[in-house]
Amino acid sequence: MKRSDVDRSLLSPMMAQYMEIKDEYENELIFYRLGDFYELFFEDALVASRELELTLTGRVAGLGEKVPMCGVPHHAVKSYIEKLVNKGYRVAIVEQLEDPRLTKGMVKRGVVDVFSKGTIADSDLLNAKESSCIAGILIFQDVIILSILDISTGHLLSLTIPNNLEKLCNELVNYNVKEVVIKSDTNASFIEPLKNNFGIEITYNDIMLEGKYEKLIEGVKDARVKTGIMHLFYYLDHRQLKDLSYIDKIEFINRTNYLEMDIHTIRNLELVETIRLKERTYSLLWLLDKCKTAMGSRKLKSWILSPLKSKNDIEKRYDKIAKLNNEFILKDELKEALFEVYDIERLAGKTVNGGLNPRDLLQLKKSLSVLPKIVEICAKLGFNYELKTHTEIYDLLEASINEEAPITTKEGGIIKPGYSVELDEIKSIRSGGKDFIANFEAEIKKQTGIKNLKVGYNKVFGYYIEVSKGQKDQVKDEYKWERRQTLANCERYISPELKEKESLILNAEEKINNLEYDLFIEIKNEIKKHILDIRATADILSELDCILSLAICSEEYNLVRPKLNEEGIVNVKDGRHPVVEVVNKKEYVPNDCILEKGIDTLLITGPNMSGKSTYMRQLAIMSIMAQMGSFVPAKEANLPIFDKIFTRIGASDDLVSGESTFMVEMKEARNAICNASSKSLILFDELGRGTATYDGISLAQGILEYISTNIHATTLFSTHYHELTFLENKYKNIKNVHVSAIEEGDSITFLHKVKDGAIDKSYGIHVARLAGMPDELLNRASEILSSYEAKNSKDSREKEVQLAMDFSPKNDEDENLKEKIKKLDILNMSPLDALNFLYEVKNNLKK
Ligand code: ADP
Ligand code: MG
């Protein structure tokens, strides 16, 4: 039965009320609170029963047929919401808005909260180590105005970026934006990639909020930024019913203050997740995250993704790490203190949007309890943070919240004795009542002489007196007991005295629960007043946690404090790739990386598997670590402060779908060439590999020459075309290095050691042998290679071209073969397919 087909005049009042609410929230699944359950009806019920594997039932609602219905218990609702939202649904929660005890007739119900991908604020539903944001996007002719909000913490950012899809994606990925609010006339070509490539939820809205939160945007100069924020806020305030009053400031992010990296670079360097498995494990973040708090882990991620450019700011972080390393006792104390700190950033947020519970308050109290200690440690270390101790809130929580408080808010057990006179009074009635019951039992036992008489309680009859069958004759009329229930071996009675006390006791129970709930809300509201201060404290604690984490890493991984220079000099002695070093079982071979003044490009040659890619990544990762304020994996390091890092490493996965690897490769290279400055770092790893040899060589050479003459960026260029190494003679800013290998007969040993000069061999056949290719094939390949080498003995480029001519078609059969080879999809071929193909070619040649 569809909702639209229903004759509304027939509906029961409750269902009619449902329909009105649903009309307002067409796109949300309505969770309708009825008793201890949230129920879904009509199409919503069909969707939820399928997605959540719930039993579909029906509800009588005045119509001939039952209305489809399914439900979830209220105490478990969070996990169901989470599942649905992750699948891309929106959920609206409908609760009673009035106290049913005080209302006659239908209780008013309404939507109290709405959840979608970007607006989950409850820390129980969020990944503790990831921030989770919603972004408002306004597109203008030349710029995009981005307003990014982490609703769980109230952190609001504003960015003005060039009108460029790629740059937009960079930001959205960096801030882990789950949902964007965008105008409905936005071009689909902008929206499709967000949805399809990054799984971002798209929400359309064309209305700006007016007359609210004006203090927040008062001082903003750019009218477009104001509009952007109010555009996002309309959706949050109006559709999602979020309270935004706890947002006190806008942080304006100016990208030019940070080292710029695009998504490819972040992925290629595996800064926050690995390329293949897309997991945090084995990423740089994984390596460096020794944070004690989830807030610290989130901040550390932002440090990795936004390394600094200000030498002063970077050195400040180094100074603090160095200080901590010197003061190891204070460092241990800080570690212990931070260990006690919970995610107070999100706990504070939870007081506004999200179900704060009594246990959260205990966590907050525990976190605040160590603040005096942390203030003391900071003072001893000479760290001048303005860290508050929040004694007021601590005292309030210490006085009020029971140490064993439950996670529920409506079932009592929250408030400590001594906090509220009224509460204590009712409690004494209750316990007095319980004593009464015990006394009453003893008394009437004595009075009546019935030895095994008991006073019990059940939900149906309340308190009762129970007498066994054998002794029931001893119950006399004068007692004025009234028989209520006859069981197999006993009788149950009530007495007027017992009933009188009972009503007192039962009322007390309910009163206590209500009063405890009210007191809890009062305390929560008190904390809400301090939310901005708590957030400031959270910010300082997370920064301390990051510094501590980097200090721990510097000892654990043997890192050194780098020197920073303005001359574009790179001077790294015994550098290491920190992740490969830790993860690989083999001993890591440290390498120098030196680009003196006047040299800006290293042309790196060496056999496959020798360590070229690792060597290049090593410098990039070291630079990122240096600029995020961390010590670096080397014996000694002097590094420039880079403005941007570009990488072209390995086969890119299909970020932009439908383009060949070579196209992606060329686009990434173009991006680097067009945007790099002399202060940038470029890593080009085997550029041109995706096309025919002579195309590849020519493009690689063209690109190298262009960078060396026009850009002068610090460039690491690895290539297996050793033909390119002659460029060292032509350009004085290009230098050859190679990764050495030892050849002994047919076998090869990789030393992973980078040395000056070029290598003149690729050792491809050796590597093929290591990979276990059949001997016959390898021997034949060696023969072919020798004949090429003979033809090509003089190392001039003209000869190379001649070689290319040798490949040119001579007859139909060659032309055929060429066509076949052209059509090969090498990237998608298994080694076996390749061998079979080679076999076929050879057979044809034999003919
Ligand atoms: P290439 O790019 O030259 O083909 P890679 O950089 O991919 O080589 O390295 C191949 C393997 O060699 C890596 O998986 C790594 O484990 C190992 N390796 C690279 N550099 C070193 C090093 N300096 N010390 C130890 N092992 C290394
Ligand atoms: Mg490589």
Side-chain angles (χ1 to χ4, degrees):
M1 180 172 26
K2 279 195 195 148
R3 195 163 54 90
S4 52
D5 299 342
V6 167
D7 178 354
R8 295 199 179 195
S9 63
L10 299 176
L11 283 174
S12 66
M14 197 280 296
M15 201 43 91
Q17 191 184 39
Y18 171 84
M19 288 297 216
E20 268 177 40
I21 296 172
K22 181 68 196 174
D23 288 344
E24 284 284 304
Y25 288 86
E26 285 279 353
N27 297 324
E28 285 78 11
L29 298 172
I30 301 262
F31 276 49
Y32 202 76
R33 180 71 178 262
L34 292 176
D36 284 343
F37 277 78
Y38 287 101
E39 306 284 6
L40 295 101
F41 302 111
F42 294 105
E43 289 89 338
D44 286 3
L46 301 182
V47 171
S49 69
R50 189 182 63 232
E51 298 288 5
L52 301 173
E53 292 174 24
L54 300 171
T55 320
L56 192 64
T57 59
R59 186 179 180 95
V60 178
L63 307 169
E65 220 180 308
K66 281 185 179 174
V67 169
M69 175 176 92
C70 66
V72 301
H74 79 100
H75 56 82
V77 69
K78 279 183 185 178
S79 64
Y80 291 107
I81 296 175
E82 182 186 22
K83 269 192 203 141
L84 290 172
V85 168
N86 281 339
K87 289 174 181 234
Y89 295 98
R90 294 156 197 266
V91 173
I93 304 290
V94 173
E95 298 274 5
Q96 295 182 340
L97 300 179
E98 296 170 323
D99 190 335
R101 287 168 303 183
L102 309 175
T103 354
K104 286 218 168 78
M106 274 299 291
V107 182
K108 211 171 141 201
R109 290 186 174 83
V111 173
V112 294
D113 209 349
V114 181
F115 298 96
S116 58
K117 262 193 186 166
T119 57
I120 290 193
D122 192 327
S123 49
D124 299 346
L125 301 180
L126 293 167
N127 179 345
K129 294 190 169 189
E130 295 279 342
S131 61
S132 170
C133 294
I134 182 164
I137 300 178
L138 281 192
I139 300 172
F140 293 91
Q141 187 76 33
D142 52 339
V143 294
I144 295 176
I145 302 285
L146 263 177
S147 317
I148 300 181
L149 174 67
D150 183 338
I151 203 155
S152 71
T153 62
H155 197 177
L156 176 66
L157 307 170
S158 171
L159 289 100
T160 303
I161 60 170
N163 184 343
N164 172 305
L165 179 60
E166 178 115 6
K167 289 223 154 67
L168 176 67
C169 292
N170 285 349
E171 299 297 349
L172 297 181
V173 172
N174 276 2
Y175 289 106
N176 199 18
V177 170
K178 297 273 175 62
E179 179 177 357
V180 297
V181 181
I182 201 160
K183 290 178 103 177
S184 56
D185 60 2
T186 309
N187 196 322
S189 66
F190 239 85
I191 291 168
E192 293 301 318
L194 303 186
K195 207 159 53 180
N196 300 338
N197 300 339
F198 302 105
I200 293 172
E201 173 103 24
I202 311 287
T203 296
Y204 296 101
N205 168 41
D206 296 319
I207 311 176
M208 315 292 150
L209 191 65
E210 277 175 80
K212 235 175 152 181
Y213 309 120
E214 290 189 323
K215 209 164 154 254
L216 181 68
I217 52 167
E218 219 169 48
V220 178
K221 288 192 194 78
D222 190 336
R224 296 174 303 185
V225 172
K226 280 189 190 180
T227 319
I229 288 172
M230 287 301 128
H231 171 240
L232 173 65
F233 274 25
Y234 177 85
Y235 169 68
L236 294 172
D237 185 277
H238 254 69
R239 289 303 295 174
Q240 298 256 334
L241 307 171
K242 304 296 182 209
D243 178 354
L244 305 171
S245 57
Y246 68 122
I247 300 170
D248 64 324
K249 61 170 189 272
I250 309 164
E251 189 182 339
F252 291 92
I253 301 287
N254 184 349
R255 269 286 151 238
T256 56
N257 291 337
Y258 300 97
L259 170 64
E260 197 181 305
M261 300 180 276
D262 59 13
I263 325 174
H264 310 295
T265 299
I266 291 166
R267 293 213 169 150
N268 284 335
L269 295 176
E270 308 193 306
L271 296 185
V272 295
E273 62 181 27
T274 53
I275 297 175
R276 279 171 72 188
L277 297 176
K278 301 207 180 308
E279 282 174 355
R280 188 185 170 98
T281 313
Y282 302 148
S283 68
L284 182 64
L285 177 59
W286 163 80
L287 189 83
L288 298 182
D289 185 2
K290 306 274 174 198
C291 289
K292 303 289 167 241
T293 69
M295 312 182 275
S297 295
R298 294 198 295 269
K299 193 183 264 308
L300 192 73
K301 182 174 176 189
S302 77
W303 281 15
I304 289 183
L305 292 177
S306 299
L308 305 172
K309 272 161 58 182
S310 147
K311 187 172 178 196
N312 197 19
D313 291 347
I314 299 172
E315 297 275 1
K316 270 191 206 152
R317 290 187 187 167
Y318 294 165
D319 288 342
K320 291 202 176 100
I321 294 172
K323 186 76 189 171
L324 272 176
N325 283 347
N326 281 336
E327 303 280 353
F328 55 92
I329 294 173
L330 290 174
K331 182 172 164 187
D332 273 350
E333 286 180 8
L334 183 60
K335 231 187 271 183
E336 274 166 35
L338 283 174
F339 200 73
E340 302 292 311
V341 174
Y342 288 86
D343 195 342
I344 58 172
E345 193 180 26
R346 281 186 173 162
L347 285 178
K350 242 176 151 179
T351 61
V352 184
N353 296 306
L356 186 85
N357 68 54
R359 283 241 189 109
D360 291 332
L361 291 181
L362 290 175
Q363 293 189 348
L364 180 62
K365 185 181 91 175
K366 193 157 184 222
S367 310
L368 299 182
S369 74
V370 292
L371 287 176
K373 180 77 193 168
I374 295 178
V375 168
E376 184 194 318
I377 296 169
C378 284
K380 284 187 187 157
L381 287 166
F383 293 178
N384 54 342
Y385 293 112
E386 279 175 35
L387 190 58
K388 293 199 172 126
T389 50
H390 303 282
T391 36
E392 231 175 286
I393 307 177
Y394 177 81
D395 291 344
L396 170 67
L397 294 175
E398 173 62 19
S400 61
I401 305 294
N402 192 350
E403 294 303 329
E404 279 87 40
I407 38 175
T408 53
T409 53
K410 298 212 164 153
E411 277 141 46
I414 305 171
I415 305 290
K416 267 187 186 169
Y419 179 69
S420 156
V421 179
E422 194 188 347
L423 181 65
D424 289 350
E425 254 172 37
I426 313 176
K427 279 188 175 165
S428 84
I429 291 178
R430 179 180 61 181
S431 58
K434 280 191 178 141
D435 286 351
F436 168 84
I437 298 293
N439 291 340
F440 180 80
E441 184 182 287
E443 210 173 291
I444 55 170
K445 237 187 216 172
K446 216 164 83 191
Q447 244 177 42
T448 58
I450 305 175
K451 288 211 185 62
N452 55 8
L453 168 153
K454 271 192 301 204
V455 175
Y457 177 84
N458 74 23
K459 273 202 172 143
V460 185
F461 302 111
Y463 286 100
Y464 54 80
I465 303 162
E466 186 177 293
V467 179
S468 71
K469 274 262 156 68
Q471 301 193 307
K472 85 173 194 213
D473 293 343
Q474 296 182 39
V475 177
K476 300 187 182 132
D477 285 350
E478 58 185 80
Y479 298 162
K480 296 207 172 97
W481 292 3
E482 213 177 287
R483 202 170 68 220
R484 271 295 155 91
Q485 197 182 15
T486 304
L487 300 179
N489 50 7
C490 64
E491 296 280 344
R492 287 176 176 173
Y493 307 86
I494 57 168
S495 82
E497 206 186 345
L498 188 58
K499 283 295 125 177
E500 191 184 308
K501 213 66 189 175
E502 177 189 290
S503 83
L504 250 171
I505 297 168
L506 294 185
N507 275 338
E509 198 71 45
E510 197 183 330
K511 268 195 195 150
I512 289 168
N513 291 351
N514 289 339
L515 185 56
E516 289 211 28
Y517 177 74
D518 292 345
L519 289 169
F520 170 73
I521 297 295
E522 233 176 76
I523 296 164
K524 168 170 147 174
N525 287 338
E526 189 53 37
I527 291 167
K528 219 157 127 178
K529 288 187 201 151
H530 298 271
I531 188 169
L532 303 180
D533 280 348
I534 298 177
R535 225 155 60 205
T537 298
D539 196 47
I540 295 172
L541 292 179
S542 51
E543 180 172 332
L544 263 174
D545 202 7
C546 286
I547 295 284
L548 177 67
S549 180
L550 293 178
I552 295 170
C553 288
S554 73
E555 298 213 310
E556 192 171 328
Y557 307 132
N558 232 333
L559 312 179
V560 295
R561 178 175 181 149
K563 288 196 181 66
L564 301 171
N565 70 72
E566 318 266 344
E567 287 88 44
I569 296 169
V570 174
N571 193 341
V572 176
K573 298 268 163 62
D574 282 347
R576 285 137 25 220
H577 186 304
V579 181
V580 176
E581 179 182 28
V582 167
V583 174
N584 267 21
K585 304 268 174 330
K586 282 188 302 183
E587 189 79 3
Y588 194 86
V589 180
N591 275 307
D592 296 349
C593 181
I594 296 171
L595 288 104
E596 299 128 13
K597 219 171 164 52
I599 302 284
D600 43 47
T601 300
L602 290 186
L603 186 58
I604 307 158
T605 42
N608 276 314
M609 288 298 290
S610 62
K612 299 182 295 298
S613 303
T614 311
Y615 179 68
M616 299 173 76
R617 286 196 163 97
Q618 183 176 306
L619 179 66
I621 285 179
M622 203 177 292
S623 303
I624 290 164
M625 287 173 75
Q627 288 181 235
M628 71 181 273
S630 165
F631 288 8
V632 297
K635 207 177 209 171
E636 222 182 286
N638 191 346
L639 295 163
I641 295 178
F642 292 114
D643 63 350
K644 298 167 196 168
I645 296 185
F646 298 94
T647 57
R648 169 57 234 177
I649 299 178
S652 224
D653 43 355
D654 272 336
L655 276 184
V656 191
S657 50
E659 285 178 337
S660 71
T661 315
F662 182 65
M663 185 62 179
V664 177
E665 184 175 10
M666 284 300 114
K667 279 195 163 172
E668 286 183 25
R670 184 207 66 99
N671 181 35
I673 289 162
C674 297
N675 295 305
S677 77
S678 62
K679 293 203 150 104
S680 305
L681 173 64
I682 300 179
L683 307 186
F684 278 163
D685 194 2
E686 309 212 13
L687 200 74
R689 183 156 66 165
T691 184
T693 311
Y694 287 94
D695 272 10
I697 295 186
S698 316
L699 272 168
Q701 182 174 338
I703 290 170
L704 251 179
E705 289 181 351
Y706 186 88
I707 296 175
S708 307
T709 37
N710 298 324
I711 304 177
H712 296 285
T714 302
T715 307
L716 300 189
F717 198 108
S718 80
T719 183
H720 60 288
Y721 302 132
H722 41 81
E723 294 87 346
L724 289 178
T725 53
F726 82 100
L727 285 169
E728 183 185 53
N729 307 325
K730 214 169 142 194
Y731 296 91
K732 59 179 187 314
N733 53 349
I734 297 182
K735 183 178 155 188
N736 284 330
V737 296
H738 70 279
V739 195
S740 56
I742 298 179
E743 188 185 4
E744 281 170 61
D746 286 344
S747 81
I748 184 167
T749 312
F750 300 117
L751 300 177
H752 304 304
K753 196 74 192 168
V754 178
K755 295 179 177 162
D756 282 356
I759 200 166
D760 58 357
K761 262 177 110 162
S762 344
Y763 298 99
I765 294 172
H766 296 82
V767 177
R769 191 180 304 279
L770 279 182
M773 285 270 197
D775 281 342
E776 187 193 342
L777 184 151
L778 291 168
N779 294 340
R780 173 61 189 146
S782 298
E783 256 174 63
I784 302 172
L785 180 64
S786 309
S787 77
Y788 280 141
E789 280 173 350
K791 268 192 208 156
N792 196 28
S793 55
K794 291 202 189 100
D795 55 346
S796 84
R797 293 271 290 153
E798 284 76 7
K799 283 271 172 160
E800 295 283 341
V801 176
Q802 189 56 48
L803 184 63
M805 305 294 280
D806 290 344
F807 274 119
S808 52
K810 294 196 180 76
N811 54 37
D812 282 357
E813 214 163 84
D814 282 354
E815 192 60 56
N816 251 338
L817 181 62
K818 203 175 141 192
E819 269 318 302
K820 269 192 188 160
I821 293 177
K822 259 192 196 162
K823 282 193 188 129
L824 283 185
D825 182 5
I826 295 187
L827 286 179
N828 287 318
M829 259 176 130
S830 70
L832 193 64
D833 291 342
L835 270 180
N836 283 337
F837 179 76
L838 203 57
Y839 185 75
E840 185 191 321
V841 171
K842 192 174 166 187
N843 268 350
N844 280 341
L845 289 178
K846 268 188 192 157
K847 278 187 219 148

